[in-house]
């Protein structure tokens, strides 16, 4: 996946990420934040981890996001304190970006697959115009 800071287009990075349908955001280690420059919007947030702990992070955007083989999207990234495993960080590709770029997860092959149409059913409260 490639992530680019829209406010500073020269601040782009290609990264490998774990597809995590339990995570909402593209989640990157705080240690990488300086690599992306200063985003137009940077907001401190609290988030809940898989172990139900509440921790602090920074949501930044807008970012241009290209998941290989899927359409380009513009969204946010979440920077959090991570502990490297064997010296490597494990960034996450969450369900918001997956849905926006038109990807579903092949649970057998463990890879993203293109979907035929965007899924609006999960967006409660939206009604067709007219």
């Amino acid at each position: 996946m490639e992530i680019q800071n829209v406010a500073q287009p020269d601040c782009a990075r290609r990264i490998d990420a774990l597809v995590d349908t339990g995570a909402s955001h593209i989640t990157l280690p705080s240690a990488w934040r300086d690599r992306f420059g200063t985003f137009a919007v940077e907001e401190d947030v609290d988030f809940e981890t898989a172990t139900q702990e509440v921790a602090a992070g920074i949501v930044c955007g807008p970012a241009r996001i290209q998941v290989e083989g899927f359409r380009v999207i513009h969204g946010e990234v979440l920077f959090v304190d991570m502990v490297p495993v064997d010296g490597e960080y494990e960034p996450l590709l969450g369900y918001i970006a997956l849905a926006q770029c038109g990807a579903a997860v092949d649970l057998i092959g463990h890879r993203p697959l293109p979907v035929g149409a965007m899924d609006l059913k999960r967006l409660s409260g939206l009604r067709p115009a007219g």
Side-chain angles (χ1 to χ4, degrees):
M1 153 174 61
E2 185 172 314
I3 299 173
Q4 177 187 51
N5 179 345
V6 171
Q8 294 184 301
D10 57 324
C11 293
R13 297 287 183 265
R14 179 173 281 293
I15 63 167
D16 292 324
L18 175 68
V19 174
D20 185 350
T21 59
S24 57
H25 285 71
I26 293 173
T27 307
L28 305 176
S30 294
W32 292 1
R33 188 163 164 233
D34 289 344
R35 298 178 185 185
F36 291 94
T38 302
F39 287 89
V41 177
E42 297 184 355
E43 182 178 347
D44 294 333
V45 295
D46 290 332
F47 64 92
E48 187 174 328
T49 68
T51 59
Q52 298 178 340
E53 296 174 63
V54 175
I58 301 173
V59 171
C60 298
R64 180 186 184 277
I65 301 157
Q66 172 73 65
V67 176
E68 190 172 333
F70 296 91
R71 71 184 197 87
V72 171
I73 61 171
H74 289 81
E76 302 174 324
V77 294
L78 171 64
F79 290 96
V80 302
D81 290 337
M82 289 185 179
V83 176
V85 177
D86 296 326
E88 298 287 328
Y89 290 107
E90 193 169 76
L92 303 176
L93 173 57
Y95 65 81
I96 293 172
L98 285 169
Q100 288 177 324
C101 73
V105 178
D106 173 1
L107 297 177
I108 295 171
H110 304 285
R111 58 192 170 103
L113 295 173
V115 294
M118 296 182 108
D119 183 3
L120 294 181
K121 297 183 298 289
R122 293 188 183 151
L123 300 174
S124 62
L126 290 183
R127 300 286 181 255

